[in-house]
Amino acid sequence: MARVAAITSDKGGVGKSTLAVHLAGAAQRRGLNTVLIDEDGRVGSSLRWARRAEALPFTVMAADDVKPRRLAAFDLVLVDTEGRPRRRDLRQLAERADLILVPSGVSALEVDATRELLEFLTEEGAARKSRVILTRVPPVGRAGEEVREDLREDGLTVCNTLVRAYAAYQRAAEQGVLAHEVRDPRAAAAWADIEALAGELW
Ligand SMILES: Nc1ncnc2c1ncn2[C@@H]1O[C@H](COP(=O)(O)OP(=O)(O)OP(=O)(O)O)[C@@H](O)[C@H]1O
Ligand SMILES: [Mg+2]
């Protein structure tokens, strides 16, 4: 059975689709046959990303095209979801996922929303499979490290890797490629964060 990792957050625009696409690329490079499922019916941005791309190095499927038999061929199923999920949808997601990834920015508002979401997941008995991923972290200063420590003190599991804010990700989205493929002085730094994160998760 493929492992299922779902990416969700209580706020929109935190970087779910960006992480989904890049983690899928990194997992595939680590030898996991990976499919990314776009469950964000409204925006569908990982699908749009894939349409811009000549070839992403992994499979992308719309939620409507998913058949259990089609998933059997994969080692890893990554699910990109819409922001602000209804609690009922979240409960279902928590039941079917082996890993729940919750990206969060480091601003106080985003961190509060992340705490609330993790509280809900804990009540649902899903704390053990939930991971906070701090993303769009300012590359300069210690904001990321500080938030990571605060959340850990509260008992949350926070990935060690901080995904820093780099324009390379925006360029990658525009071009329908992954960050290591764009011409940008920070492209390698952006990709190094993704590889480190994938190494922690898989
Ligand atoms: N690490 C990062 N550094 C810089 N920009 C980023 C980073 N991650 C995401 N972004 C940018 O932030 C914006 C929102 O990202 P993205 O679409 O991945 O968020 P989302 O959570 O999927 O949004 P939605 O809730 O609308 O689906 C995009 O312009 C993206 O390029
Ligand atoms: Mg998205």
Side-chain angles (χ1 to χ4, degrees), residues 12-18 40 83 135-136 163-166 169-170:
V14 294
K16 289 182 297 297
S17 299
T18 302
D40 190 346
T135 187
R136 302 177 75 176
V163 179
R164 290 167 292 176
Y166 289 123
Y169 292 109
Q170 271 127 308

Side-chain angles (χ1 to χ4, degrees), residues 20-63:
V21 167
H22 283 88
L23 281 176
Q28 186 77 42
R29 276 167 73 124
R30 296 176 68 83
L32 295 173
N33 192 15
T34 302
V35 57
L36 172 58
I37 300 176
D38 194 335
E39 291 201 349
D40 190 346
R42 299 160 316 145
V43 193
S45 51
S46 24
L47 269 178
R48 263 195 271 154
W49 201 311
R51 275 200 286 273
R52 275 193 296 274
E54 275 167 33
L56 285 170
F58 49 86
T59 306
V60 183
M61 276 185 209

Side-chain angles (χ1 to χ4, degrees), residues 150-184:
D150 285 352
L151 292 176
R152 282 179 177 168
E153 273 170 24
D154 293 346
L156 305 190
T157 307
V158 186
C159 288
N160 224 23
T161 305
L162 305 171
V163 179
R164 290 167 292 176
Y166 289 123
Y169 292 109
Q170 271 127 308
R171 295 218 182 139
E174 285 157 19
Q175 296 172 26
V177 299
L178 301 179
H180 65 81
E181 296 168 287
V182 300
R183 280 165 65 95
D184 182 285

Side-chain angles (χ1 to χ4, degrees), residues 20-138:
V21 167
H22 283 88
L23 281 176
Q28 186 77 42
R29 276 167 73 124
R30 296 176 68 83
L32 295 173
N33 192 15
T34 302
V35 57
L36 172 58
I37 300 176
D38 194 335
E39 291 201 349
D40 190 346
R42 299 160 316 145
V43 193
S45 51
S46 24
L47 269 178
R48 263 195 271 154
W49 201 311
R51 275 200 286 273
R52 275 193 296 274
E54 275 167 33
L56 285 170
F58 49 86
T59 306
V60 183
M61 276 185 209
D64 294 342
D65 298 337
V66 172
K67 309 246 175 353
R69 271 184 44 218
R70 289 189 69 189
L71 297 186
F74 293 95
D75 304 311
L76 178 65
V77 177
L78 260 174
V79 186
D80 181 20
T81 67
E82 64 179 22
R84 301 203 122 279
R86 281 171 303 187
R87 289 310 193 223
R88 188 167 47 96
D89 293 342
L90 200 55
R91 188 169 289 132
Q92 281 177 1
L93 198 71
E95 275 166 19
R96 81 185 148 106
D98 303 299
L99 198 56
I100 304 166
L101 306 176
V102 182
S104 174
V106 297
S107 73
L109 265 176
E110 286 170 289
V111 172
D112 281 349
T114 299
R115 279 185 211 274
E116 269 177 42
L117 180 56
L118 269 290
E119 247 165 58
F120 176 80
L121 290 170
T122 302
E123 283 162 19
E124 292 298 311
R128 274 211 356 252
K129 50 181 160 177
S130 302
R131 307 272 183 283
V132 176
I133 298 173
L134 293 174
T135 187
R136 302 177 75 176
V137 174

